Amino acid sequence: MTKAHWQGLLEEMPRHLFVPDIAVVGPIMDDPRSWIDRTADPARWWEVVHSDTAIGVQLDDGAIDLAAKTGVDPCAVATSSTSAPHLVATMLDLLDAGQGDRVLEVGTGTGWTAALLARRVGEANLVSVEIDGPVAARASKNLRSAGVTVQVVTADGTKGWPAQAPYDRVHVTVGVADIPYAWVEQTRPGGVIVLPWMPGWRTGHLVALTVADDGTAEGRIGEPCGFMMLRDQRRSPSLIDGVARRSQTMVTPREVAEAGEGFEVALAGCMPGVEGGGFDNDDGSYRLVANTDDSRILVVHRPGEPAAEVKQVGPRNLWDEIVDAYRRWCSWGRPGRDQFGLSVTRQGTRVWLVDPSQPMDAP
């Protein structure tokens, strides 16, 4: 992705028309550098808005006033944003929507991508669905200010928008682990659905699914990405009671957690629903954490020690399952992410290796 490519989007539809005066650009809420303020520092505001940066425009589903800035809870999280322009450009390229195509967008956000899509397909051919009423209202206002007339609907995007189906293209701007079949059902055969697949291990991946005549959709795993999750698929840590089973392992957590994007996809196929990743600690040790609805693990490897410590709680021995999935992936020749794909049917989302005839099942 060249700089000129994503900058072209900013020229086609200026992003400053869709960004509020106060917005979030960093993860640490009590750090002044995580904020932009058009009144207090207009030069920085303009620089950030016209850069390849994701910008948060809502915190904690609107429960926090952005004007509070560094006075907000440091644990607050952005729940609506405008994505980095290079990522928007990549997704629009994958979508490949043309004039006259009927398009459903799930997740209006600020309205910027809706405006870009309207330029490509025609304003009357696009409907954008946003679950948050105030976000939808603000997006509609932004679009009107930009001179764009787009139908913005306040509704649950997991159900699509059947009133105007079938669609030629579905553009999803929120992360999903389980892909709603409604999107497939409302897309014509040969149509394309572009979405951020976020199964829960480290990062997510862009996927372009093509809908077949039999009502299924398939597509290969694309480049890494990170998106806010669909609201009904958000993950929150659950309290798992029980006595920790302690052991040691010669398979280091770093070896597994940093095995690469191919393993991340393989793990999602072998262990649907597992979430986690690896992290460096201040003392030089490395920890891997993972959990499912009923089980969790902590694996810590300290410098100079041959083995890592394992703590497992719950009915499943998640570390053993993860190591088994890792060894399976190695036995396949450590395939990269581009060797994997997804199939979506009424029964759910499945990961496959090489081609759809080789679906991966949980061990």
Side-chain angles (χ1 to χ4, degrees):
M1 177 66 62
T2 64
K3 184 176 182 181
H5 187 47
W6 62 259
Q7 281 187 323
L9 298 183
L10 299 175
E11 296 171 1
E12 179 182 348
M13 180 56 62
R15 192 163 67 147
H16 69 262
L17 300 174
F18 299 85
V19 178
D21 289 348
I22 299 175
V24 181
V25 293
I28 305 174
M29 296 303 160
D30 56 358
D31 184 344
R33 293 170 297 182
S34 289
W35 295 81
I36 54 173
D37 186 327
R38 190 173 189 173
T39 300
D41 192 345
R44 183 167 182 263
W45 187 92
W46 277 91
E47 178 185 5
V48 171
V49 169
H50 290 88
S51 69
D52 191 27
T53 303
I55 302 173
V57 299
Q58 184 196 66
L59 295 176
D60 288 359
D61 297 330
I64 294 175
D65 183 0
L66 293 183
K69 293 170 69 174
T70 55
V72 305
D73 184 343
C75 295
V77 295
T79 49
S80 183
S81 71
T82 177
S83 298
H86 86 273
L87 195 53
V88 174
T90 299
M91 293 183 71
L92 292 179
D93 284 349
L94 288 172
L95 195 69
D96 194 26
Q99 190 66 32
D101 282 342
R102 297 178 63 80
V103 178
L104 168 67
E105 180 182 51
V106 177
T108 312
T110 65
W112 184 50
T113 54
L116 291 167
L117 280 167
R119 288 290 179 88
R120 284 161 170 72
V121 303
E123 295 176 354
N125 294 314
L126 172 67
V127 58
S128 185
V129 178
E130 171 59 53
I131 195 171
D132 189 301
V135 171
R138 185 170 58 241
S140 295
K141 181 179 179 180
N142 292 341
L143 286 159
R144 288 193 298 269
S145 297
V148 181
T149 302
V150 168
Q151 182 182 4
V152 177
V153 178
T154 303
D156 182 356
T158 62
K159 300 175 182 178
W161 188 246
Q164 293 178 225
Y167 301 98
D168 300 291
R169 299 288 188 271
V170 176
H171 182 253
V172 182
T173 67
V174 288
V176 292
D178 298 315
I179 300 169
Y181 185 71
W183 300 345
V184 179
E185 202 168 32
Q186 294 173 28
T187 304
R188 67 164 177 81
V192 175
I193 305 168
V194 173
L195 55 87
W197 181 57
M198 306 277 291
W201 189 262
R202 288 173 65 90
T203 188
H205 301 273
L206 293 180
V207 179
L209 302 169
T210 301
V211 177
D213 292 334
D214 63 359
T216 63
E218 295 171 351
R220 289 195 175 274
I221 303 297
E223 69 174 66
C225 67
F227 276 77
M228 300 167 191
M229 292 297 293
L230 200 69
R231 290 199 179 184
D232 72 350
Q233 294 189 21
R234 287 178 180 170
R235 308 174 181 100
S236 56
S238 56
L239 181 62
I240 300 172
D241 295 323
V243 177
R245 300 180 297 281
R246 298 173 181 266
S247 62
Q248 290 191 325
T249 177
M250 298 304 293
V251 180
T252 67
R254 186 185 297 275
E255 177 185 357
V256 173
E258 299 183 5
E261 296 164 4
F263 173 64
E264 294 172 17
V265 178
L267 186 63
C270 292
M271 298 177 62
V274 68
E275 305 166 9
F279 310 89
D280 284 296
N281 297 321
D282 291 339
D283 62 2
S285 62
Y286 189 88
R287 74 185 186 280
L288 179 149
V289 295
N291 66 276
T292 59
D293 290 339
D294 61 358
S295 302
R296 62 180 168 85
I297 59 168
L298 170 64
V299 186
V300 179
H301 185 228
R302 295 179 174 80
E305 296 186 0
E309 297 177 359
V310 181
K311 296 180 182 178
Q312 304 191 96
V313 178
R316 296 174 62 177
N317 292 319
L318 291 185
W319 176 245
D320 301 321
E321 292 183 34
I322 290 171
V323 170
D324 180 64
Y326 174 66
R327 286 172 174 159
R328 290 174 64 189
W329 175 70
C330 291
S331 73
W332 298 333
R334 304 172 70 94
R337 59 173 166 80
D338 58 345
Q339 296 297 303
F340 294 90
L342 299 181
S343 292
V344 184
T345 67
R346 290 185 182 277
Q347 287 68 49
T349 304
R350 301 186 75 181
V351 182
W352 44 262
L353 174 62
V354 181
D355 66 69
S357 68
Q358 301 183 53
M360 301 172 61
D361 297 314

